[in-house]
Amino acid sequence: MKAQDISREKSAELFEKAKNYFPGGVNSPVRAFKSVYGTPLFIERGDKAHLWDADGNEFIDFCCSWGPLILGHNNSEIREAVQAQLAKGLSFGAPTALENELAELIISNNKYVEKIRFVSSGTEAVMSAIRLARGYTKRDKIVKFEGCYHGHSDSLLVKAGSGLVTFGETSSAGVPKAFADETIVIGLNDKAALEQVFVDFKDQIAAVIIEGVPANNGLLIQDKAYIQFLRDITKSNGSLLIFDEVITGFRLGFEGAAKYYDIQPDILTYGKIIGGGMPVGVYGASAEIMGHISPDGGVYQAGTLSGNPVAMAAGIAALSILAQPGFYENQEKTTLAFVEEIRAFIAENNLEVKIFTLGSIFWFAFTSLDKIQSADQIEHESMGKYKIMHRELLNRGIYFGPSGYEVGFISAAHTQEDLSTTISAIKEALLIAFE
Ligand SMILES: Cc1ncc(COP(=O)(O)O)c(C=O)c1O
């Protein structure tokens, strides 16, 4: 049965006001709810797995601030660590012991990086990693994959051209064509295309960049053999392999997708979870590669608020909890049980929808395919069903990301009760989406 639409009076009012201040009324485009029904909800507070909006509606949250909140909202240990640091100062523009402490937590639990640099966002981490790769190899071109998002720096806002292997085309106004010419975009899971790139642009490719597990355009889980192919072909051509683990880092475990595939990339980038909800990004590599970063090396990168003490304190508190034995195993078990119960319902009702999952990430795909590994396998029209499901879930107190291309996250704060309530709501929402 259709649930009554939630009241959005105050959110709608705030949105109208916000439009006077911000383009589209938001500070990041997907928040504008363009792909789903209604106006965006303005959030007032969060606690554990729950959110409350300006109209007093309560939701169980599966967006989790787009990934950082693996411990849910208002985690007491993170809150107390932040409060303790607030009393000492917000920013010094000088080193603190907190940076060492967070770095130690990361490096001693992650064999894939020897040295790291803290920045303030995932975008900044990836942008810096690309510069490092170019500086290190003394080459300019990079290869990225259609369907992978790496933040909004110029080199990466590039989409595929029309041929199998072409220069990219800018995917945003304002990105110079000359920049797009340095980025080659090909399809995921297409070995021939990458082989062709290395023939066509011999000795010109600085790096191939891939999301650890692509999770920004659906959840496109790649086969290990393909990632091994990326490792081998980059190595044999003197190019670097970059894993952008801004989503998968500290989500699939401390060692992220690198461990999942058991493959050593040359440079890794992180963000989201690492700051416990505060703005932090990281890039890291071997000591030898990182030795090319200033002030040791010639690749310049800096930041007024890099290694910010409040963000470091939040990150230390968060990662200390994640480092406890069994944390990730529990997350995975909980997520799988949640997904399996919905899958059983889908099978009983013969609905054309799949749930792909890895660790505590899940994605609903309205498809008949059993595997989706490249962006072109996602049917745009199928998003109409997600749109209905999203509306019906909101009306039942469940908050999913406002686009069918986005994945959902289960946090350690989601209780069995939260998950049972959600499963019931999803069953009803799916039946309505297929009416
Ligand atoms: C894989 C990946 N890389 C980079 C970014 C950019 O990170 P940020 O939004 O913190 O700049 C994101 C953001 O969603 C991401 O998912």
Side-chain angles (χ1 to χ4, degrees):
M1 208 182 73
K2 275 196 179 174
Q4 205 178 350
D5 282 346
I6 50 167
S7 143
R8 300 197 200 196
E9 231 171 88
K10 291 223 171 76
S11 280
E13 214 176 278
L14 287 166
F15 190 44
E16 281 313 305
K17 204 166 180 187
K19 286 181 190 165
N20 297 323
Y21 309 130
F22 315 116
V26 288
N27 285 297
S28 194
V30 71
R31 296 181 194 173
F33 267 44
K34 291 257 188 211
S35 310
V36 290
Y37 292 105
T39 51
L41 303 179
F42 277 60
I43 304 301
E44 222 162 68
R45 72 186 176 95
D47 192 54
K48 303 194 171 61
H50 292 236
L51 281 177
W52 286 263
D53 72 7
D55 289 279
N57 299 305
E58 180 177 348
F59 302 95
I60 304 172
D61 178 21
F62 291 87
C63 181
C64 299
S65 191
W66 304 98
L69 303 186
I70 193 168
L71 295 167
H73 298 270
N74 194 22
N75 174 276
S76 59
E77 283 154 78
I78 298 176
R79 187 182 64 238
E80 282 159 23
V82 166
Q83 284 170 339
Q85 184 53 42
L86 288 180
K88 296 184 193 166
L90 297 179
S91 179
F92 311 116
T96 64
L98 294 164
E99 289 153 77
N100 287 355
E101 204 181 320
L102 184 54
E104 170 73 22
L105 250 173
I106 294 166
I107 294 169
S108 65
N109 287 296
N110 184 335
K111 72 174 182 211
Y112 299 96
V113 286
E114 287 177 352
K115 279 200 176 175
I116 59 173
R117 171 66 61 85
F118 287 119
V119 292
S120 300
S121 69
T123 295
E124 220 186 313
V126 179
M127 181 185 78
S128 310
I130 295 287
R131 185 177 305 142
L132 173 57
R134 286 174 164 155
Y136 182 80
T137 58
K138 302 189 175 57
R139 298 174 177 184
D140 287 343
K141 295 203 188 307
I142 57 167
V143 178
K144 81 174 279 288
F145 298 96
E146 191 74 28
C148 285
Y149 176 68
H150 301 291
H152 65 89
S153 66
D154 283 343
S155 293
L156 294 158
L157 282 185
V158 176
K159 61 183 183 210
S162 48
L164 175 67
V165 174
T166 59
F167 296 116
E169 290 173 9
T170 62
S171 60
S172 161
V175 175
K177 186 180 171 303
F179 282 45
D181 284 350
E182 301 301 339
T183 303
I184 296 153
V185 187
I186 56 171
L188 279 162
N189 196 29
D190 181 349
K191 289 186 182 176
L194 190 55
E195 278 163 348
Q196 192 63 45
V197 166
F198 277 106
V199 172
D200 292 355
F201 303 101
K202 193 170 162 41
D203 300 333
Q204 297 175 56
I205 310 290
V208 173
I209 181 166
I210 186 167
E211 279 184 64
V213 175
N216 270 290
N217 188 73
L219 182 62
L220 309 176
I221 303 169
Q222 304 298 302
D223 296 334
K224 172 166 167 139
Y226 177 66
I227 304 297
Q228 185 65 55
F229 161 77
L230 299 185
R231 177 63 287 179
D232 296 342
I233 196 166
T234 45
K235 195 170 236 167
S236 61
N237 283 281
S239 303
L240 301 187
L241 178 61
I242 304 175
F243 274 13
D244 176 0
E245 300 233 33
V246 167
I247 287 189
T248 47
F250 307 88
R251 167 69 57 185
L252 301 183
F254 265 67
E255 295 177 313
K259 169 80 179 290
Y260 172 70
Y261 294 120
D262 189 21
I263 283 173
Q264 172 75 58
D266 299 298
I267 306 178
L268 297 100
T269 59
Y270 302 105
K272 300 197 189 259
I273 288 175
I274 221 163
M278 297 288 291
V280 180
V282 171
Y283 64 101
S286 65
E288 192 257 325
I289 293 179
M290 289 303 279
H292 287 70
I293 295 291
S294 58
D296 285 352
V299 177
Y300 190 72
Q301 183 271 311
T304 300
L305 293 175
S306 291
N308 174 263
V310 182
M312 294 292 106
I316 294 163
L319 265 50
S320 302
I321 300 172
L322 306 187
Q324 288 165 12
F327 179 88
Y328 289 104
E329 288 78 0
N330 280 340
Q331 284 299 104
E332 186 167 350
K333 224 166 78 189
T334 305
T335 306
L336 203 57
F338 170 78
V339 165
E340 287 298 351
E341 196 171 332
I342 306 167
R343 278 180 180 156
F345 176 81
I346 289 168
E348 274 161 34
N349 290 276
N350 218 0
L351 305 177
E352 201 172 87
V353 54
K354 300 280 159 50
I355 313 173
F356 297 102
T357 182
L358 190 65
S360 48
I361 310 174
F362 64 86
W363 177 53
F364 281 74
F366 292 86
T367 180
S368 57
L369 302 175
D370 290 326
K371 250 185 181 183
I372 297 194
Q373 293 184 306
S374 63
D376 60 4
Q377 290 177 296
I378 304 175
E379 285 168 39
H380 187 64
E381 305 75 63
S382 70
M383 293 301 157
K385 290 214 166 23
Y386 182 82
K387 199 170 163 180
I388 298 170
M389 176 167 123
H390 183 268
R391 179 192 64 203
E392 295 303 319
L393 287 178
L394 274 188
N395 289 343
R396 288 165 175 76
I398 312 296
Y399 190 92
F400 269 34
S403 156
Y405 291 95
E406 302 291 349
V407 297
F409 301 101
I410 290 188
S411 77
H414 285 90
T415 63
Q416 280 310 321
E417 195 188 337
D418 290 330
L419 297 174
S420 304
T421 306
T422 305
I423 290 170
S424 304
I426 287 175
K427 289 177 180 174
E428 290 179 11
L430 281 175
L431 290 180
I432 293 169
F434 281 97
E435 262 171 11

